């Protein structure tokens, strides 16, 4: 008998040979060992005022512009096959280890879904009831979080929904949100960086047939509707992923090699006049400022929660880890152009910008237009209803101060529910980072609208529904957060910094959605209460 949509199960599955894969951390490269010796433990003031500090400063940026050989065709993630059973569309994911030839020399050990690196694209429609059977073929616990999905907390795939090796988790929910580009990735307590950096990520696309017909956006998957999962990596001398990082920046891994859909030096053959690109920042720490090498204008048509009300013409889009953007780009026959990341404005002083990737320039991938291009319509002037919220006069206002590895002076505790919110309400959340260190803010189980940034109206790229947003130091973000359904007093959703090193160190909290009159319960979790340090 089918289980009800409000519950999920984990059950035993046959132990597979892949559970014996090596899970040890990759070795460090000689160059990175030298840099770490220079960087770790040196105060920023001392580093800037000594000869050694000058060397460190000179080595602290990365510039790959004009240095990348675009010699590999872009891989398009395959669409996951689904089968219909008892009114549900069922998909299957299998977390395994694998290998990929990413550079000359030995292959790189990777993790991923089904093929051992990244994962298939799960495509669903608004109104569908979906079930995703996730089998863990790794040698350690993992989870799968549906980033951006509006669903019951028990299906969210956060640290409370851990999947032991050899077992299968079967979350199911009804898709009740507009068309959007979502993604999935692990969320194990204290170990998310390691799992995501190994390659565990994939796309979850929501379609809305009525909205698609009205928007006029390109929609042929892999042809003129192209997903771009962007990750930066470092490699050691044996071609294994290097997870070292600078203690000066202390934001996590800032890689010098960019993979798009798991491919370094990727190029895409353009066959139509316009192409819709679904950009996903799946990096663990890096903030990108995407634009083209010739500074061409493109149309921003969608962000985290779906389509914008109208296309926004621009030539740059900044995405912090976890954020997504949909853009429509026009091409001319026979041209070649490079997608690049320019130095992102992180809102920091020059030293801290330098240590945290704010001076980096990266060539991402190349587009090669055919000699003759198929016709493409211009996106409609109106794409979707505008993001609107109604705030009650007595709306609850909460403040979240992100400092060190804490939120409101508290580290994540799996056994502590920080607060509860009534279902169907809208609250104002004020998020601030008081120190010169990059953070962003990600919310599980709900979407928000940015009301203001340091008292000023949000820019057009923040005008739609969001679930992740960059948090400029000392700037107060005011967010209108909605909680439309799926109450569960005992199973929490997360809120946290999506720079994964910060999340793993404890910059995370949890809340529950309540029915009227309820109080928060107790998380049903047997894990440890303190994240690894």
């Amino acid at each position: 008998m089918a289980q009800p949509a409000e519950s999920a199960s984990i059950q035993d599955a046959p132990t597979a040979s892949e559970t014996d894969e090596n899970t040890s951390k990759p070795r460090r490269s000689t160059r990175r060992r030298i840099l770490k010796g220079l960087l770790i433990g040196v105060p920023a003031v001392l580093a800037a005022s000594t000869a050694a500090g000058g060397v460190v400063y000179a080595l602290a940026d990365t510039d790959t512009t004009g240095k990348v050989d675009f010699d590999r065709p872009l891989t398009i993630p395959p669409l996951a096959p689904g089968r219909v059973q008892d009114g549900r569309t069922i998909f299957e994911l299998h977390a395994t280890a694998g290998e990929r030839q990413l550079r000359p020399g030995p292959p790189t050990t990777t993790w991923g879904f089904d093929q051992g690196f990244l994962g298939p694209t799960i495509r669903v429609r608004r109104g569908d009831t979906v079930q995703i059977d996730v089998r863990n073929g790794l040698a350690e616990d993992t989870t799968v979080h549906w980033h951006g999905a509006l669903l019951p907390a028990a299906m969210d795939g956060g640290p409370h929904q851990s999947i032991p090796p050899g077992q299968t988790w079967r979350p199911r929910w009804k898709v009740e949100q507009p068309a959007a580009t979502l993604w999935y990735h692990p969320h194990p307590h204290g170990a998310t960086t390691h799992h995501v950096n190994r390659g565990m990520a994939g796309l979850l696309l929501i379609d809305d047939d009525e909205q698609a017909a009205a928007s006029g956006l390109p929609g042929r998957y892999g042809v003129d509707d192209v997903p771009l999962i962007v990750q930066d990596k470092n490699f050691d001398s044996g071609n294994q992923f290097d997870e070292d990082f600078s203690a000066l920046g202390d934001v996590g891994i800032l890689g010098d090699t960019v993979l798009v859909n798991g491919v370094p030096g990727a190029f895409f053959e353009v066959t139509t006049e316009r192409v819709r690109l679904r950009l996903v920042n799946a990096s663990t720490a890096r903030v990108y400022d995407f634009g083209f090498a010739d500074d061409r204008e493109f149309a921003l048509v969608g962000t985290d929660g779906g389509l914008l009300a109208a296309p926004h013409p621009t030539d740059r889009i900044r995405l912090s880890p976890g954020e997504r953007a949909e853009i429509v780009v026009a091409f001319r026959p026979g041209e070649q152009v490079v997608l690049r990341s320019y130095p992102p404005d992180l809102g920091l002083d020059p030293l801290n910008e330098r240590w945290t990737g704010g001076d980096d320039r990266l060539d991402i991938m190349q587009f090669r237009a055919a000699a003759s291009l198929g016709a493409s319509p211009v996106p409609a002037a109106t794409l979707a209803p505008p993001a609107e919220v109604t705030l009650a006069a007595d709306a609850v206002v909460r403040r979240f101060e992100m400092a060190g590895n804490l939120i409101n002076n508290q580290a994540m505790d799996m056994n502590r529910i920080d607060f509860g919110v009534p279902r169907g309400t809208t609250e104002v959340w004020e998020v601030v980072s008081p120190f010169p260190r990059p953070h962003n803010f990600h919310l599980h189980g709900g979407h928000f609208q940015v009301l203001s940034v340091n008292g000023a109206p949000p820019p057009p790229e923040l005008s739609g529904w969001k679930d992740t947003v960059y948090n400029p130091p000392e700037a107060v973000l005011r967010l209108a957060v909605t909680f439309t359904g799926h109450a569960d007093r005992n199973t929490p959703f997360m809120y946290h910094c999506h720079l994964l090193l910060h999340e793993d160190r404890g910059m995370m909290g949890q809340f529950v959605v309540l029915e009227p009159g309820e109080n928060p319960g107790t998380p049903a979790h047997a894990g440890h209460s303190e994240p690894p340090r």
Side-chain angles (χ1 to χ4, degrees), residues 180-427:
T181 299
L182 315 183
W183 67 302
Y184 60 89
H185 62 82
H187 209 300
H189 187 51
T192 301
T193 299
H194 184 55
H195 287 225
V196 173
N197 190 62
R198 282 289 183 97
M200 298 184 74
L203 288 173
L204 173 60
L205 303 184
I206 298 178
D207 292 328
D208 184 324
D209 293 339
E210 181 179 341
Q211 201 173 60
S215 68
L217 298 177
R220 290 178 292 168
Y221 181 79
V223 178
D224 59 3
D225 183 356
V226 181
L228 303 179
I229 303 172
V230 182
Q231 297 179 307
D232 61 327
K233 307 290 184 185
N234 287 318
F235 294 86
D236 68 13
S237 58
N239 275 357
Q240 303 310 304
F241 292 135
D242 185 344
E243 295 182 359
D244 241 350
F245 61 90
S246 164
L248 285 178
D250 203 34
V251 294
I253 302 164
L254 295 174
D256 55 19
T257 301
V258 174
L259 309 185
V260 183
N261 297 348
V263 179
F267 67 87
F268 178 74
E269 299 280 2
V270 176
T271 59
T272 57
E273 293 174 337
R274 290 177 181 82
V275 178
R276 176 188 192 176
L277 303 176
R278 299 178 185 253
L279 290 162
V280 180
N281 183 350
S283 291
T284 62
R286 182 177 293 283
V287 179
Y288 298 94
D289 194 9
F290 292 107
F292 288 88
D294 60 359
D295 289 327
R296 70 181 55 197
E297 189 175 85
F298 51 83
L300 176 67
V301 297
T303 54
D304 301 346
L307 298 180
L308 298 180
H312 168 54
T314 185
D315 60 6
R316 297 285 189 273
I317 181 65
R318 185 185 66 188
L319 297 181
S320 64
E323 288 187 282
R324 290 88 66 207
E326 297 184 31
I327 66 175
V328 175
V329 189
F331 294 95
R332 296 181 297 272
E335 70 173 342
Q336 296 185 2
V337 65
V338 172
L339 178 66
R340 182 167 287 171
S341 177
Y342 291 86
D345 180 5
L346 302 178
L348 302 170
D349 60 84
L351 276 180
N352 282 295
E353 286 272 354
R354 187 76 162 183
W355 310 139
T356 55
D359 290 344
D360 293 355
R361 298 173 181 269
L362 302 166
D363 276 354
I364 305 298
M365 63 173 293
Q366 184 188 61
F367 292 86
R368 301 177 181 177
S372 178
L373 299 178
S376 296
V378 176
T382 300
L383 300 171
E388 294 180 344
V389 295
T390 301
L391 287 174
D394 59 349
V396 172
V397 178
R398 301 183 191 273
R399 186 174 176 89
F400 301 84
E401 186 171 290
M402 305 179 76
N405 293 308
L406 309 176
I407 300 179
N408 294 339
N409 295 316
Q410 290 186 309
M412 169 66 176
D413 184 335
M414 292 281 281
N415 299 309
R416 183 191 71 237
I417 293 176
D418 293 287
F419 58 88
V421 297
R423 182 173 61 85
T425 60
T426 298
E427 297 187 348

Side-chain angles (χ1 to χ4, degrees), residues 5-8 146 151-157 161 169-173:
E6 292 76 24
S7 64
W146 318 109
L151 74 182
M155 314 299 160
D156 184 59
Q161 288 87 48
W169 178 52
R170 293 184 168 89
R172 63 198 65 85
W173 72 94

Side-chain angles (χ1 to χ4, degrees), residues 97-172:
E99 286 187 337
R100 284 296 184 277
Q101 192 69 50
L102 299 176
R103 292 155 36 113
T108 302
T109 298
T110 60
W111 290 359
F113 299 93
D114 300 331
Q115 301 299 318
F117 193 41
L118 298 183
T121 295
I122 298 173
R123 194 156 199 170
V124 300
R125 280 184 166 79
R126 188 176 190 175
D128 286 354
T129 297
V130 301
Q131 174 178 310
I132 305 176
D133 295 350
V134 185
R135 181 187 170 202
N136 183 6
L138 299 170
E140 60 186 77
D141 287 10
T142 192
T143 79
V144 181
H145 167 53
W146 318 109
H147 187 124
L150 303 180
L151 74 182
M155 314 299 160
D156 184 59
H160 289 277
Q161 288 87 48
S162 186
I163 313 169
Q167 295 193 14
T168 300
W169 178 52
R170 293 184 168 89
R172 63 198 65 85

